[in-house]
Amino acid sequence: MEIIKKPATMKLPAQWFTGDAYADVIYRGEEPSRARANMVRFTPGARTAWHSHGLGQTLHITEGIALIGTRDGTILEAHPGETISCPPGEEHWHGATPDNFMSHIALWEGDEVNWLEHVTEAEYTGPHTSTATAR
């Protein structure tokens, strides 16, 4: 057993994010592990660019309301304590609402992330479905 030293908080790059987002690495597995876990904090209106993960991604919302969008135009509003699973290869984005901070724990395996174009304002502000009504 070992205590893992926490790396410094990092500001996430503008090439992959609109607005300001910050990450704290919780866990980055070393071979043979491919596990990754980050606490990611988004300022109001901040969001990822479109992207996909080769082995999928799981998002556990810890604070605020998360917006998670898919290419079919679906935008889910997820709340603290809720967990959203994005399947392998699914192009998606996630971020904060325009008026509130949002934090989530992002879980994924490996480094196969395919970063794509930024989410447009029209895509970001499209109709939302609350996870409370999607169940």
Side-chain angles (χ1 to χ4, degrees), residues 60 77 80 89 96 98 103 124-125 129 133:
H60 180 77
E77 293 180 359
S103 299
Y124 174 70
T125 58
T129 301
T133 59

Side-chain angles (χ1 to χ4, degrees), residues 79-97:
H79 302 91
E82 294 181 323
T83 303
I84 304 295
S85 175
C86 303
E90 180 177 56
E91 293 179 2
H92 67 282
W93 60 268
H94 36 101
T97 59

Side-chain angles (χ1 to χ4, degrees), residues 4-132:
I4 299 171
K5 184 177 186 244
K6 180 190 169 306
T9 297
M10 65 181 128
K11 185 172 190 311
L12 296 168
Q15 125 189 35
W16 297 336
F17 291 81
T18 297
D20 293 329
Y22 300 85
D24 288 303
V25 175
I26 296 171
Y27 181 74
R28 181 175 175 84
E30 295 181 20
E31 291 295 333
S33 174
R34 296 169 46 93
R36 308 285 189 263
N38 285 356
M39 170 62 79
V40 185
R41 294 172 179 88
F42 295 81
T43 60
R47 60 213 181 250
T48 68
W50 286 102
H51 66 286
S52 65
H53 296 263
L55 297 173
Q57 183 181 44
T58 300
L59 305 171
H60 180 77
I61 313 313
T62 59
E63 178 184 18
I65 298 172
L67 301 178
I68 301 109
T70 60
R71 287 288 188 184
D72 69 2
T74 299
I75 301 174
L76 289 178
E77 293 180 359
H79 302 91
E82 294 181 323
T83 303
I84 304 295
S85 175
C86 303
E90 180 177 56
E91 293 179 2
H92 67 282
W93 60 268
H94 36 101
T97 59
D99 299 326
N100 292 286
F101 287 87
M102 186 276 290
S103 299
H104 65 48
I105 298 172
L107 306 162
W108 74 101
E109 292 184 65
D111 292 322
E112 298 87 19
V113 181
N114 183 26
W115 287 102
L116 303 162
E117 76 275 11
H118 283 269
V119 173
T120 67
E121 202 61 29
E123 291 167 328
Y124 174 70
T125 58
H128 305 161
T129 301
S130 173
T131 52

